[in-house]
Amino acid sequence: MSTAAPYAIPAWLVVLDGKDLTDRIKPRLLDLTLTEARGGEADQLDLRIHDHDGRMALPKRGVELSVEIGWADAGRVKKGTFRVDEVEHSGAPDVITIRARSADLTHPLRTRRERSWHQVTLGDVVRNLAGEHGLQARIAPALASVTIAHLDQTGESDVNLLSRLGQRYDAVATVKAGSLLFMPIGSGTTANGTPLPAALITRRDGDSHRYSLADRDTYSGVRAYWNNKPGANRKSVLVGDSGNAKRLRETYNSEVEAKEHAKAAWQRIQRGAATMAYTLALGRADLYPEQKLRLRDFKPEIDDTAWLIAKATHNITGSGGFTTQLELETDAGGG
């Protein structure tokens, strides 16, 4: 997708339960905001619409919205389907606010459950969860073969369980486009496993930025503790160096589990060494979380860093503006 020209016109489409409402909403639109997250939270769509004449009906909760955004001269990008879960009417002047979240995160996924797994692989768990909800499992082979000696789901929803497993293995664990996706953070793939193209953004593409560099020597590694017998002395494992290692609070049930959590925490620390918030004056609907990114024409420290998109927020206004806000973190894999 080519960068839009300064005179380009934002293009968007909103379909409510199969009915195209774009033309009806367009003269009333205050703003459309789409927030795309990497995992652990649903993508969110917010619509704010003028209702000065009282002629707009309030949508019912639970109805589905599908959305496309882009530029008139470059085409629109499909951004998925969302389910309305909040509706607000305020005034004066009267405004309708509609909030919708990823339609893939259905009620059964949020229902609390009680069960356990014994001597399984991570792939077994993910495929089991996907099958129960009519989803296609997309799990990286390296993660699929990981052995799990014991896993409890106690008063916990499947969504929370996935989030917890994502933390444990430093993975994207989310449901999008009819797939249950479980991939290492930084793998740079879509829900169907297709590699996302690396993006290049220059200083002239932006409107504002904020770069932050943490002291890389704050932590030298991560130490995690484990104890497989009640009352026994705790043992520890170390990932990285011992000089100033971060200590995880929880005591795990095995050395393997402790090491998995320590490794994931260390990878998160490395990714957080440098962060970047960047607003594109001309929005880019083709940018997604987990996409690898390079920046140019900034300071050498910024240009030399391999970046990863952690969150993308697209905003289209009724006055004709379209911007994209990116939250970037260091790509620990090197880009």
Side-chain angles (χ1 to χ4, degrees):
M1 178 176 175
S2 60
T3 301
Y7 54 83
I9 301 171
W12 52 277
L13 178 144
V14 173
V15 176
L16 176 66
D17 269 358
K19 184 178 180 179
D20 187 347
L21 297 182
T22 309
D23 289 340
R24 186 176 180 189
I25 294 175
K26 188 170 292 184
R28 300 173 176 267
L29 182 72
L30 288 171
D31 52 62
L32 179 160
T33 303
L34 173 62
T35 302
E36 297 179 292
R38 179 163 57 200
E41 57 182 298
D43 292 348
Q44 181 171 306
L45 173 70
D46 291 274
L47 277 171
R48 292 198 311 129
I49 304 166
H50 276 300
D51 188 36
H52 57 279
D53 54 6
R55 298 181 62 184
M56 293 297 295
L58 297 178
K60 295 179 180 179
R61 289 189 305 164
V63 297
E64 289 193 350
L65 287 169
S66 60
V67 177
E68 299 179 12
I69 60 174
W71 294 96
D73 64 346
R76 300 188 303 260
V77 176
K78 293 181 180 180
K79 286 297 186 176
T81 304
F82 303 81
R83 183 169 284 109
V84 175
D85 62 2
E86 291 182 42
V87 179
E88 177 184 294
H89 192 276
S90 61
D94 288 1
V95 172
I96 295 174
T97 301
I98 302 167
R99 178 163 293 128
R101 293 179 174 87
S102 301
D104 290 310
L105 293 179
T106 58
H107 179 70
L109 274 163
R110 299 179 182 277
T111 302
R112 294 184 179 184
R113 308 184 64 174
E114 305 273 344
R115 56 177 163 177
S116 298
W117 285 270
H118 306 278
Q119 294 300 325
V120 294
T121 65
L122 183 54
D124 293 332
V125 175
V126 172
R127 284 188 287 268
N128 184 34
L129 291 171
E132 289 176 349
H133 298 284
L135 302 168
Q136 186 169 2
R138 303 281 187 183
I139 180 168
L143 291 173
S145 60
V146 172
T147 299
I148 299 178
H150 181 79
L151 177 65
D152 288 323
Q153 184 177 4
T154 307
E156 183 180 28
S157 69
D158 289 346
V159 167
N160 285 340
L161 175 63
L162 283 168
S163 179
R164 181 158 60 91
L165 289 172
Q167 283 283 106
R168 177 171 172 174
Y169 297 102
D170 197 40
V172 173
T174 191
V175 179
K176 290 185 181 180
S179 294
L180 197 167
L181 183 68
F182 204 97
M183 299 283 182
I185 289 178
S187 60
T189 59
T190 64
N192 61 13
T194 304
L196 288 165
L200 173 66
I201 294 177
T202 64
R203 178 69 183 269
R204 66 178 178 271
D205 297 323
D207 189 30
S208 63
H209 73 277
R210 185 179 68 254
Y211 170 75
S212 176
L213 179 64
D215 186 353
R216 293 179 181 271
D217 296 327
T218 299
Y219 290 114
S220 59
V222 175
R223 186 179 295 278
Y225 294 89
W226 64 280
N227 182 1
N228 59 0
K229 292 182 180 180
N233 292 329
R234 289 196 309 169
K235 299 180 180 179
S236 70
V237 295
L238 175 69
V239 175
D241 297 325
S242 61
N244 185 30
K246 178 178 180 178
R247 298 171 185 267
L248 301 185
R249 296 179 183 179
E250 187 172 349
T251 299
Y252 300 100
N253 294 320
S254 69
E255 182 178 8
V256 170
E257 186 179 352
K259 189 170 184 179
E260 288 168 346
H261 280 277
K263 180 181 177 183
W266 181 230
Q267 289 172 335
R268 284 191 291 272
I269 288 172
Q270 290 177 301
R271 284 200 308 276
T275 59
M276 181 85 162
Y278 195 34
T279 298
L280 297 174
L282 296 174
R284 291 277 302 270
D286 61 321
L287 297 179
Y288 293 86
E290 273 299 277
Q291 198 165 5
K292 295 176 183 291
L293 184 72
R294 286 285 183 174
L295 298 174
R296 289 291 180 268
D297 304 327
F298 290 86
K299 297 293 185 182
E301 294 85 350
I302 298 175
D303 291 357
D304 293 342
T305 298
W307 296 101
L308 200 61
I309 300 176
K311 181 179 284 189
T313 302
H314 308 282
N315 180 260
I316 294 176
T317 64
S319 59
F322 175 19
T323 60
T324 296
Q325 295 177 305
L326 300 175
E327 294 182 17
L328 310 178
E329 63 183 19
T330 307
D331 180 6

